[in-house]
Amino acid sequence: MIQTSDKQTFNAKYLSLNSNNEIEQNGFNFRIFHNENDPDTANRIKVSSQLVEVEILPSKGFSLGQAWVEGKPLFWEAPIGLPDTETIDLWSDEVCINGKPAPGFTFLKTLVAGIELYGLKNWGMPVTSNGLLHPLHGETSNIPVGEVQFEVEYGNKCVVEASFLYRSFEGDLHLPWYERGAALFKVTRKVVLFKGSKEILIADTIENISNQVLAPDWGYHVTFRPEEGAKYLVPSKFVQQRNGNPVSCGFETWHQAEHQNIRTETGIIHKELLTSKSDDGSNIVTSLLVYPNNTGIAVSVPSVPYFQTWFCHGGKNSKEFTFQNNESLLKKNWDGMGIEFGSSPLDHNGNLDATVMYEPSIKPGEIKSITIKIENIEKDKLGA
């Protein structure tokens, strides 16, 4: 551990290099540790206030693994374990779909977190451009960070921060995959907790560090803990299924799988969303997950061209997603509900919200900022 003024810096990969791997300050606790069943350099961080605890995965693009409000989990229970992102080949065909090798779908064995940032050349389905395969959801959620900083500001909030470089990933094969090629973007994430609050703030920046104008293709997957009868409500005027079909009655409600070994997934595209203003004057959208007991989770994100709700259930030990030895990828049901939102359509089909004004390009030195606010909502605030 290296202490610099108010910030304390930790090595995220090699815990033995830190003089201390746990600190407590002004009612906030920070701990970086290794789980025995995880890959050697895949450590975890837990940061907590009196009401909220957040798990962060430094080996996976600083993704939020899980969070608890007064001990109750917010995000899903992933059907697979933490991957070894030091050695992963996201461009491989090791994952099969219905028995057929599927290049670019190796990402499927890495989807374990509650909040993941995707991109930055492609955040959607796999696509080939100029002869190069861009894998499913891109690379960002599997790039490890080297250092993590912890700071308590003004005594009433704590900030956990880390950065990584997004590169071209072409070049010297002797280097780890995430260190290959020219640096294009610097991605920085801050996770913020507040004293006496049930709010979690995620503040991301994508900085163009190249010498040319670039358009980062970014998106997010936010996957919450599902529950029979839970509803995900979005203030939108237009909805349709991701495949273009009309929505059915009850489209906003999650149900358990009728057949546990069969995975079913539904994506609902929302357009013309109601917005409000953030502190900086930008447009934000607030959606709401409501559980049957009338508690909920409010999620505020920037107004963006693509926004969909996502419902998935079932699939334990199914042969839909397997490795090439026919071993099922899913050790548990793929049960989750939440949102996917970003700068472009997942399916590269142009199905965007034309009412949203968005400039995709940023010049050298310019930054795109994305802030996500998650707040646990009690019964009294929902009108129960």
Side-chain angles (χ1 to χ4, degrees):
M1 181 183 71
I2 308 165
Q3 186 157 354
T4 57
S5 65
D6 296 328
K7 291 185 179 180
Q8 299 186 63
T9 302
F10 298 82
N11 190 300
K13 289 186 179 181
Y14 305 106
L15 303 189
S16 62
L17 298 181
N18 299 322
S19 60
N20 188 2
N21 286 308
E22 182 172 7
I23 57 175
E24 188 166 350
Q25 186 176 346
N26 289 73
F28 297 101
N29 182 271
F30 174 97
R31 180 167 68 100
I32 184 167
F33 62 97
H34 183 77
N35 275 352
E36 182 179 353
N37 295 328
D38 290 341
D40 288 346
T41 56
N43 298 310
R44 299 174 187 247
I45 292 169
K46 283 189 176 179
V47 57
S48 61
S49 64
Q50 290 180 326
L51 300 175
V52 177
E53 184 174 42
V54 175
E55 178 189 64
I56 306 171
L57 307 175
S59 68
K60 270 189 53 61
F62 221 51
S63 299
L64 267 68
Q66 183 56 274
W68 299 262
V69 175
E70 295 184 316
K72 190 169 187 177
L74 294 187
F75 301 122
W76 71 330
E77 184 179 346
I80 47 182
L82 203 59
D84 187 346
T85 56
E86 291 289 329
T87 60
I88 199 167
D89 183 353
L90 295 170
W91 300 264
S92 76
D93 63 356
E94 67 173 301
V95 170
C96 298
I97 300 178
N98 297 318
K100 183 179 179 179
F105 279 90
T106 300
F107 164 87
L108 291 175
K109 76 172 190 178
T110 76
L111 178 52
V112 301
I115 299 181
E116 298 191 351
L117 167 64
Y118 297 149
L120 293 169
K121 296 176 189 173
N122 167 57
W123 88 275
M125 298 299 290
V127 64
T128 299
S129 175
N130 297 323
L132 296 176
L133 172 65
H134 300 299
L136 175 66
H137 293 323
E139 305 86 4
T140 50
S141 67
N142 287 294
I143 298 174
V145 303
E147 290 186 344
V148 177
Q149 294 182 323
F150 172 80
E151 181 180 20
V152 176
E153 298 181 356
Y154 310 112
N156 64 355
K157 73 174 183 180
C158 74
V159 180
V160 185
E161 178 180 347
S163 300
F164 62 83
L165 298 183
Y166 182 93
R167 299 177 176 273
S168 66
F169 308 120
E170 302 173 73
D172 191 347
L173 296 180
H174 293 95
L175 293 172
W177 68 270
Y178 53 85
E179 292 183 0
R180 296 173 193 161
L184 304 177
F185 301 102
K186 180 181 180 181
V187 178
T188 300
R189 167 164 291 175
K190 295 181 180 181
V191 180
V192 186
L193 300 183
F194 302 88
K195 186 168 290 186
S197 171
K198 297 179 181 179
E199 177 183 316
I200 302 169
L201 194 69
I202 300 98
D204 289 350
T205 58
I206 302 170
E207 179 184 1
N208 182 352
I209 58 173
S210 76
N211 59 4
Q212 58 187 313
V213 176
L214 297 173
D217 189 36
W218 59 268
Y220 289 79
H221 202 305
V222 183
T223 312
F224 291 109
R225 174 183 61 83
E227 192 174 305
E228 176 66 31
K231 299 177 184 295
Y232 204 103
L233 308 177
V234 179
S236 54
K237 293 182 180 179
F238 176 86
V239 293
Q240 68 178 160
Q241 291 192 49
R242 183 175 157 193
N243 60 14
N245 292 334
V247 297
S248 58
C249 181
F251 69 89
E252 70 284 316
T253 305
W254 189 88
H255 296 290
Q256 294 183 10
E258 183 176 353
H259 303 287
Q260 297 298 307
N261 63 339
I262 298 176
R263 190 188 72 91
T264 303
E265 178 180 341
T266 304
I268 307 294
I269 293 176
H270 296 257
K271 297 181 180 179
E272 299 180 44
L273 283 71
L274 177 68
T275 63
S276 59
K277 293 294 184 181
S278 67
D279 292 340
D280 64 5
S282 61
N283 290 331
I284 59 173
V285 173
T286 300
S287 55
L288 184 65
L289 191 164
V290 181
Y291 289 106
N293 68 355
N294 221 33
T295 61
I297 302 170
V299 186
S300 297
V301 304
S303 176
V304 290
Y306 186 87
F307 189 105
Q308 78 157 10
T309 48
W310 180 87
F311 303 83
C312 192
H313 54 216
K316 179 180 179 181
N317 295 324
S318 75
K319 297 302 182 180
E320 178 190 15
F321 301 141
T322 64
F323 297 105
Q324 292 199 10
N325 63 2
N326 205 36
E327 175 191 355
S328 177
L329 200 71
L330 306 183
K331 308 307 180 187
K332 303 175 184 176
N333 277 351
W334 201 321
D335 288 345
M337 61 189 301
I339 57 175
E340 288 183 280
F341 63 96
S343 61
S344 67
L346 272 175
D347 298 305
H348 311 290
N349 58 2
N351 194 0
L352 293 174
D353 187 345
T355 66
V356 176
M357 301 300 294
Y358 177 77
E359 173 51 59
S361 298
I362 52 177
K363 299 175 182 178
E366 288 187 340
I367 289 175
K368 278 199 177 295
S369 298
I370 305 106
T371 299
I372 303 172
K373 183 174 76 171
I374 296 176
E375 185 176 7
N376 193 73
I377 306 296
E378 300 298 336
K379 292 182 180 180
D380 57 344
K381 291 186 178 180
L382 286 174

